[in-house]
Amino acid sequence: MKKSLLFVIILLSCLSASAQEKNDTLVSIAEMNWVGVTDISVWGCFHEGGAVDATLEMVDDGLAINNPHMQDEIWQPQITVIKDFSLEEGHDYIVRLTMKVPSDGTYQVYLGNWDARYALQVPLKHGHDFQIIDVEYPEYGNNANGDGFVLIGCGWVVGTTIIKRVEILEKTSVSGIQSDKVTKDSNDDIYNFIGQKVDASYKGIVIQNGKKVMMK
């Protein structure tokens, strides 16, 4: 009885550890904290034909993008908010923005490089406080070896947008269940969920060497 109880406790510990691993699926690969930055001359604010009269400046909270009126194009003005990181083809990424939104409107957020960049339109509501916005790019379609960037177009948001922080996150598939190939080639004892010893022909989730394993 005591042996069975001990096995259940070990099993629950394995399941708990596995659940924690599954929840920890975001890895930060780049970050830009705009608070305290003073030189923005190398970052740039792109206008087409000089028709857009938006301005950039640094304030106490970060990068301030002032767009005085609604523009004809959502992507003008276009501002680089983070750069010089790598992306891999087929991976899932999130652009996490900490920003203050001056009015109801739509931003355009680009992820990529000059060879291939992907734009998503993000409608947001005005807020007096900073908001954390996650913009997801599943199965990113192009390599960017050290020259990745995020551009923000705010032509349809009137007022001063303040970018406090930008982070690039990669979604990873972390699992607490190991491959059955490792199990079948191992000499370690295998137990089912009620503590009975089984062999490699068993199908389902088992415990082997203190780890949860899927047998197929």
Side-chain angles (χ1 to χ4, degrees), residues 54-194:
T55 58
L56 290 179
E57 64 175 325
M58 296 308 306
V59 296
D60 291 341
D61 289 331
L63 175 66
I65 308 159
N66 179 48
N67 184 42
H69 51 79
M70 179 78 74
Q71 306 295 335
D72 293 334
E73 301 286 349
I74 187 174
W75 47 272
Q76 294 289 355
Q78 186 179 97
I79 299 92
T80 307
V81 294
I82 187 172
K83 60 183 180 179
D84 300 333
F85 55 87
S86 295
L87 300 169
E88 296 186 54
E89 188 171 357
H91 289 221
D92 297 339
Y93 294 104
I94 293 175
V95 175
R96 176 165 291 172
L97 300 163
T98 303
M99 57 194 290
K100 190 176 289 186
V101 179
S103 68
D104 294 355
T106 301
Y107 293 88
Q108 187 146 290
V109 183
Y110 299 81
L111 175 68
N113 57 11
W114 292 116
D115 292 329
R117 52 194 182 276
Y118 300 87
L120 292 177
Q121 293 188 3
V122 184
L124 294 175
K125 295 290 186 180
H126 160 67
H128 294 288
D129 298 322
F130 281 96
Q131 305 178 37
I132 296 177
I133 298 102
D134 284 351
V135 186
E136 298 192 26
Y137 296 81
E139 297 185 4
Y140 174 80
N142 186 62
N143 289 326
N145 297 318
D147 60 351
F149 57 56
V150 171
L151 308 178
I152 291 184
C154 53
W156 292 353
V157 181
V158 177
T160 301
T161 298
I162 301 178
I163 306 293
K164 185 175 184 179
R165 186 169 177 267
V166 188
E167 189 175 14
I168 309 301
L169 302 166
E170 181 180 350
K171 281 190 175 182
T172 61
S173 298
V174 179
S175 175
I177 302 177
Q178 295 185 345
S179 167
D180 61 313
K181 293 182 181 178
V182 176
T183 298
K184 291 181 179 179
D185 292 338
S186 173
N187 293 322
D188 293 328
D189 290 337
I190 308 168
Y191 297 89
N192 63 17
F193 269 18
I194 60 174

